[in-house]
Amino acid sequence: MKFTYGWLQQHLDTDASLDTILEGLTRIGLEVEGVENPGEKLAAFRVARVLTAERHPQADKLQVLSVDAGDGPLQVVCGAPNARAGLVGVFGMPGATVPANGMVLKVAAIRGVESNGMMCSTRELELGEDHDGIIELPDDAPVGTPFPAYAGLDDPVIDVSITPNRQDCMGVRGIARDLTAAGYGTLKPLAVPVVAGEGAGPDVRVEDEAGCPAFYAQAVRGLRNGESPDWMRRRLTAIGQKPISTLVDITNYVMFDLGRPLHVYDMAKLNGGLVARKAMAGESVVALNGKSYTLAGGETVIADHAAVHDIGGIMGGEHSGVSETTTDVLIECAYFTPEAIARTGQKLALTSDARTRFERGVDPAFLDQGLAIATDYVLQLCGGTASGVTKAGSPPVEPRTITHQPERVATLGGLDVAEDRQRDILERLGFSVSDGWQVTVPSWRRDIDGTADLVEEVIRIEGLDKVPSTPLDRPAGVAVPTATPEQKLERRIRRAAAARGLAEAITWSFIAEDEAAPFGGGAWEVVNPIANDMRIMRPSLLPGLLSAAGRNLKRGQSSVKLFEIGRRYLADAERMTLGIVFAGERAPRGWRGGKAQGFDAFDAKGELLALLEAAGAPVGNLQVMEASGDVYHPGQSATLRLGPKTVLASFGVLHPTIAKAFDLPAGTVAAELYLDALPAKRGGGAMRGAYAPPALQAVTRDFAFVVADSVTGDQLVRAVRGADKAAIVDARLFDVFAGAGVEPGHKSLAIEVTLQPGAKSFTDAELKAISDKIVAAATKIGGSLRA
């Protein structure tokens, strides 16, 4: 929310300096984001009179002017067609910087004639778009006066951040009211004119009472729409609004001044009366931004007998907009339900200053006054004759009363404020306070709902800086740990992933519907999303990580290794998960390895096993199985399981269609570790047992078995490991061979088996017995001993 210091003083009678006001705004919760004085960049420009104007001797379209800027005549070369003797305009002195292009003016020869500075156009000073000629000021403009002072441009612009609950401060008057309550001045009375209308009011009615409870309107006929007055254009320009015409500028000015959005229709472009109704599916409207919007049905719109002319409370239509030829207008002052405005704006992805105010909640009791003020501006600045007022529907203005408990300011807010001071603060903010502390909430404070809100108002105005810092009580001795087992597990895995060189990412929990579809679709949809493409609660962590990986690759990263710990939102519950994405190069090109090497599924598997080890999972009991889902490339992906049903992780090369959808290179690797599926630790003491290494050296034996191609290495290793659980402590696959000497459809798997003796070394007979058990176990799954 932007406004100028001078604009604020139209509502606030104060002697406080700008710095004091800025400090006060932040102190009461209206954080000042910046202050800018537009006059500073024009300080070197002066009001000047052209004394003489003669043709340039070397150029037909240039003139040589004699200009007086208060210090005597200066020679200036000018190409503006309206430059002439006697003209009063704006002169840039040598050394001044032109705002539009950053050019520093200096004494220079133009076509052989010396020129000292320049006469300026509106566009060059960034005061408008006119560049057809230099600025023309009134003849009585004081020559030599700094232009910012003459034009009133030395009024500082204040930019304030308004929190969503403070809809009353979306207008300058609401901010002035807050400053009054804090003791920075007195709120000036608001002058509401009495407009004597002639005849019946315009034909308007309400059919959608849920979306538009009240629609007030007044017509003005026989007006003349032109350029708004300087004071209004200066204020709108200062806050970043482009002046358009008197009628449009009036609606914008009232909106920023009083927080009351309005709209004007050219009555010549309407076909019958206006009605606030629900849109029908397929209806469309070309809004004032030039874009066409097709309505799904159910949105609140303003329409006549022929077409939709306004997306209610958000943006008017281009067809019925006013222009320089407009002579008859209908002024709309309506109340739109905040929830309906928010839904429509999100559905259409359409934002506007009016939507920002209506979806927060404008003052429903300010319809009569807002319409009267706007109509009076139109009559004063455009002329014409006003009609009567039509009031269709009724706004929700039922009074709300809250029983305030003054003692709660100390117990809840932590600050002792006298009851008289509390009453004074609330009344200055517009609340009515009875002797029994029955507080009536003003119509413009939709955010006040209970006594805690009243406490907050008192504390806010009295000063949050006055609330003493009070430490919480802490029992003596060593603090008791408060982290849950789940939190400890997350910490261990997060540290392990970071230690292994993965970069942690934090992505949105909301994703687009098309991003969720490849991962099974979203079970939950946000009713009030922050954006249309952030509507679905993620069913997987991978969409966010894949998008992040793509952004990093596009910005020059050759290798991306990301992980994230967060929740998946499934139909039955929220599941804590760790996601991993590897994209780009695993190893750069080099003289030893040649071309750069990409990632593969085994990289993801290795990371998962390391993280599962850090988590304390029984890695030795894991089974590698297929069926990891449609997200991964078939044949280059798998799952890690404890038994056939308990899936701890899935991993693999991303399916080509998924990689293409996220604009990632082929071979991108991803994985998910399901933390909620990890088996809980068995009960027992917190202390570890003493380390007791075996007294005798382990023995290794190698076996090679011929098995069918359908038998996996994991199956054979598990079978061998279970042949003698007392003696066999490890078994691992170290070679796979297929070809000469092995019949077609079969392969040779070589396994290294580690045997650990106990009290005494193995005898030859014992080793042979164990070997026989290993061969028998392999035979059960179809293997035959090869060597």
Side-chain angles (χ1 to χ4, degrees):
M1 173 69 189
K2 290 184 176 181
F3 57 94
T4 69
Y5 183 50
W7 195 345
L8 177 67
Q9 291 177 314
Q10 295 295 310
H11 296 280
L12 182 67
D13 187 2
T14 181
D15 295 328
S17 65
L18 174 63
D19 290 340
T20 302
I21 292 294
L22 297 177
E23 181 183 352
L25 286 168
T26 299
R27 180 173 171 269
I28 61 178
L30 304 176
E31 183 180 0
V32 176
E33 293 194 334
V35 182
E36 180 186 1
N37 190 341
E40 290 179 353
K41 61 183 178 182
L42 301 176
F45 294 84
R46 298 185 188 178
V47 176
R49 184 183 300 275
V50 179
L51 302 177
T52 62
E54 300 178 356
R55 179 181 173 184
H56 192 291
Q58 303 296 329
D60 293 339
K61 294 185 178 181
L62 298 178
Q63 297 187 76
V64 180
L65 311 180
S66 176
V67 177
D68 179 17
D71 297 326
L74 290 173
Q75 181 173 280
V76 178
V77 176
C78 181
N82 64 330
R84 63 187 183 276
L87 180 145
V88 179
V90 181
F91 176 64
M93 306 286 292
T97 301
V98 180
N101 55 25
M103 180 178 66
V104 178
L105 301 177
K106 57 184 177 181
V107 179
I110 300 178
R111 294 287 185 93
V113 177
E114 183 181 272
S115 180
N116 300 271
M118 69 180 291
M119 297 294 291
C120 303
S121 69
T122 302
R123 185 191 295 177
E124 288 163 339
L125 299 185
E126 294 184 333
L127 299 176
E129 297 299 322
D130 186 9
H131 194 57
D132 294 334
I134 57 178
I135 297 173
E136 295 192 34
L137 301 177
D139 291 340
D140 59 353
V143 173
T145 303
F147 179 64
Y150 168 77
L153 298 174
D154 54 353
D155 190 4
V157 178
I158 305 170
D159 187 4
V160 176
S161 175
I162 307 296
T163 53
N165 65 314
R166 293 307 309 280
Q167 67 283 340
D168 57 307
C169 287
M170 293 301 290
V172 180
R173 185 166 183 83
I175 295 173
R177 184 187 297 111
D178 261 25
L179 288 169
T180 297
Y184 291 95
T186 304
L187 186 66
K188 296 180 179 179
L190 179 63
V192 179
V194 177
V195 179
E198 299 179 8
D203 179 13
V204 299
R205 67 185 191 279
V206 172
E207 291 181 0
D208 179 16
E209 295 182 356
C212 179
F215 184 0
Y216 290 11
Q218 190 167 18
V220 178
R221 296 179 173 84
L223 57 82
R224 182 176 179 181
N225 188 23
E227 188 176 69
S228 55
D230 288 343
W231 64 268
M232 184 177 288
R233 285 189 287 111
R234 282 199 303 268
R235 287 180 180 173
L236 292 175
T237 301
I239 64 173
Q241 295 294 311
K242 180 182 177 181
I244 298 174
S245 67
T246 304
L247 291 172
V248 176
D249 293 352
I250 286 172
T251 61
N252 285 334
Y253 183 80
V254 173
M255 176 172 62
F256 287 100
D257 188 46
L258 302 173
R260 160 39 68 181
L262 304 157
H263 188 60
V264 288
Y265 301 87
D266 188 332
M267 296 184 68
K269 301 175 181 177
L270 300 178
N271 185 358
L274 292 178
V275 57
R277 61 170 173 82
K278 290 186 181 296
M280 294 178 286
E283 287 188 305
S284 63
V285 58
V286 178
L288 288 172
N289 60 6
K291 297 181 180 179
S292 178
Y293 294 90
T294 300
L295 306 175
E299 302 91 344
T300 301
V301 297
I302 307 297
D304 61 13
H305 298 332
V308 173
H309 290 288
D310 187 348
I311 303 172
I314 299 178
M315 189 172 290
E318 187 178 73
H319 172 71
S320 59
V322 297
S323 65
E324 65 277 2
T325 61
T326 299
T327 58
D328 301 335
V329 297
L330 182 150
I331 306 172
E332 167 205 302
C333 185
Y335 179 81
F336 295 95
T337 305
E339 294 77 10
I341 292 292
R343 285 193 295 268
T344 300
Q346 290 157 8
K347 187 185 302 181
L348 300 178
L350 179 58
T351 60
S352 67
D353 290 313
R355 173 192 166 183
T356 300
R357 286 158 177 80
F358 275 123
E359 71 179 354
R360 295 184 182 206
V362 301
D363 184 0
F366 197 70
L367 296 177
D368 287 303
Q369 300 94 319
L371 184 58
I373 291 170
T375 303
D376 186 62
Y377 274 132
V378 172
L379 295 174
Q380 289 185 40
L381 302 179
C382 301
T385 303
S387 73
V389 176
T390 301
K391 301 180 181 181
S394 57
V397 292
E398 296 78 10
R400 291 174 294 133
T401 301
I402 299 172
T403 301
H404 181 48
Q405 302 171 34
E407 64 276 7
R408 295 203 68 191
V409 172
T411 59
L412 185 60
L415 187 62
D416 191 9
V417 181
E419 291 190 4
D420 289 345
R421 173 60 177 158
Q422 292 188 40
R423 183 185 298 272
D424 180 62
I425 289 174
L426 293 174
E427 290 178 344
R428 283 173 177 263
L429 288 172
F431 295 86
S432 297
V433 185
S434 70
D435 292 339
W437 287 105
Q438 296 297 309
V439 178
T440 302
V441 180
S443 57
W444 57 82
R445 291 304 299 271
R446 182 170 176 262
D447 58 307
I448 303 299
D449 191 50
T451 182
D453 296 319
L454 299 177
V455 170
E456 181 183 0
E457 291 300 294
V458 172
I459 296 294
R460 179 176 66 85
I461 298 300
E462 184 67 11
L464 290 171
D465 54 320
K466 295 181 180 180
V467 178
S469 298
T470 305
L472 296 174
D473 293 334
R474 179 175 178 176
V478 179
V480 178
T482 58
T484 64
E486 292 78 10
Q487 291 171 327
K488 293 177 181 178
L489 174 64
E490 290 177 31
R491 291 176 186 174
R492 286 199 304 273
I493 293 184
R494 179 176 283 110
R495 290 170 181 168
R500 293 183 59 81
L502 279 68
E504 184 174 10
I506 300 176
T507 65
W508 290 101
S509 298
F510 325 112
I511 59 176
E513 190 170 359
D514 58 345
E515 292 179 340
F519 299 86
W524 302 98
E525 182 176 342
V526 181
V527 176
N528 186 23
I530 59 178
N532 277 339
D533 58 351
M534 302 180 75
R535 183 179 298 277
I536 304 300
M537 300 298 289
R538 63 185 180 193
S540 167
L541 271 66
L542 295 185
L545 285 172
L546 294 174
S547 298
R551 286 192 296 271
N552 280 273
L553 290 175
K554 291 174 182 177
R555 284 160 176 77
Q557 290 293 323
S558 60
S559 180
V560 176
K561 300 172 66 176
L562 299 177
F563 82 94
E564 179 179 10
I565 297 179
R567 283 176 169 79
R568 295 177 297 137
Y569 298 90
L570 307 181
D572 58 340
E574 299 177 12
R575 305 289 185 182
M576 186 58 70
T577 307
L578 176 137
I580 296 174
V581 169
F582 293 161
E585 302 174 356
R586 178 181 61 182
R589 62 182 180 175
W591 64 270
R592 295 185 63 187
K595 293 182 179 180
Q597 300 176 18
F599 294 100
D600 58 28
F602 295 104
D603 294 309
K605 178 184 177 184
E607 293 296 335
L608 289 174
L609 291 175
L611 296 176
L612 286 167
E613 182 101 28
V619 176
N621 297 333
L622 292 178
Q623 295 176 259
V624 180
M625 302 180 67
E626 297 179 358
S628 57
D630 298 334
V631 175
Y632 299 102
H633 196 300
Q636 299 182 44
S637 57
T639 57
L640 295 177
R641 307 189 183 206
L642 281 175
K645 294 184 178 180
T646 305
V647 181
L648 297 189
S650 60
F651 66 92
V653 176
L654 211 60
H655 196 283
T657 59
I658 305 296
K660 183 178 180 181
F662 285 89
D663 198 17
L664 288 167
T668 298
V669 174
E672 282 190 307
L673 195 164
Y674 311 119
L675 302 182
D676 62 309
L678 295 178
K681 284 189 175 182
R682 295 178 180 177
M687 294 183 63
R688 295 179 181 177
Y691 176 60
L696 300 174
Q697 185 174 345
V699 178
T700 61
R701 289 289 185 269
D702 295 343
F703 297 83
F705 295 100
V706 176
V707 297
D709 285 341
S710 59
V711 177
T712 65
D714 182 65
Q715 287 177 288
L716 182 59
V717 169
R718 293 177 64 82
V720 169
R721 187 179 292 163
D724 189 334
K725 295 182 179 180
I728 299 174
V729 294
D730 193 19
R732 69 180 186 89
L733 179 70
F734 69 87
D735 185 56
V736 179
F737 174 76
V742 178
E743 62 180 296
H746 290 71
K747 58 189 174 183
S748 173
L749 302 180
I751 295 179
E752 179 187 78
V753 181
T754 303
L755 308 174
Q756 179 61 56
K760 62 184 182 63
S761 298
F762 291 120
T763 65
D764 290 340
E766 290 172 335
L767 290 175
K768 184 179 184 307
I770 296 172
S771 297
D772 292 342
K773 291 180 181 178
I774 292 174
V775 173
T779 303
K780 288 183 179 180
I781 62 171
S784 61
L785 183 65
R786 182 180 179 215

